[in-house]
Amino acid sequence: QVQLVESGGGLVQAGGSLRLSCAASGRTVSIVTMGWLRQAPGKEREFVTSISLSSGNTYYTDPVKGRFTISRDNAKNTVYLQMNSLKSEDTATYYCAAARSVLVRMRSGYDYWGQGTQVTVSS
């Protein structure tokens, strides 16, 4: 019903920046929240940030506060993740996700998932 496609990942030096994009298609009227989660090798997938598509309210996990910014363009059915001051600890596969619930902060709350885009930060 909903398809999500991430893009924008790559290799960047510590302290550098990247912007990820996630385009949603299909039955997007069902989506009320979109977010980003990440998974490093050997670790569980963890919540990074989410945004309410209606209000624009956002939530960030502590390790990325002040460095990452989530935004949305509802007309384009697209959400972005601007990542600044990147650290080696940010290296992970980043997944776009969409939910029918408000400002979901846990993995189990998301209903739709993208394929992931790799972010590698060199130190």
Side-chain angles (χ1 to χ4, degrees):
Q1 290 184 320
V2 175
Q3 296 80 44
L4 305 174
V5 179
E6 304 101 328
S7 62
L11 176 64
V12 65
Q13 284 185 285
S17 299
L18 284 174
R19 190 178 80 151
L20 307 183
S21 298
C22 175
S25 61
R27 196 172 177 83
T28 57
V29 292
S30 66
I31 300 172
V32 298
T33 299
M34 293 184 68
W36 292 92
L37 295 87
R38 65 187 182 185
Q39 187 167 23
K43 296 185 177 181
E44 295 183 347
R45 192 170 301 182
E46 65 177 358
F47 171 83
V48 177
T49 181
S50 64
I51 186 167
S52 167
L53 298 186
S54 59
S55 70
N57 289 343
T58 59
Y59 186 85
Y60 299 89
T61 189
D62 285 342
V64 308
K65 287 181 179 178
R67 299 189 298 120
F68 291 10
T69 303
I70 188 171
S71 61
R72 91 290 198 206
D73 185 337
N74 288 346
K76 297 181 178 180
N77 292 320
T78 300
V79 66
Y80 305 94
L81 181 63
Q82 179 66 45
M83 305 185 294
N84 298 326
S85 301
L86 283 162
K87 305 175 180 179
S88 60
E89 304 95 279
D90 297 316
T91 295
T93 300
Y94 283 71
Y95 295 90
C96 178
R100 293 172 289 177
S101 300
V102 176
L103 288 180
V104 176
R105 304 176 188 180
M106 60 185 73
R107 188 248 182 276
S108 61
Y110 288 92
D111 303 293
Y112 311 101
W113 294 86
Q115 82 286 357
T117 186
Q118 179 66 37
V119 172
T120 302
V121 184
S122 62
S123 59

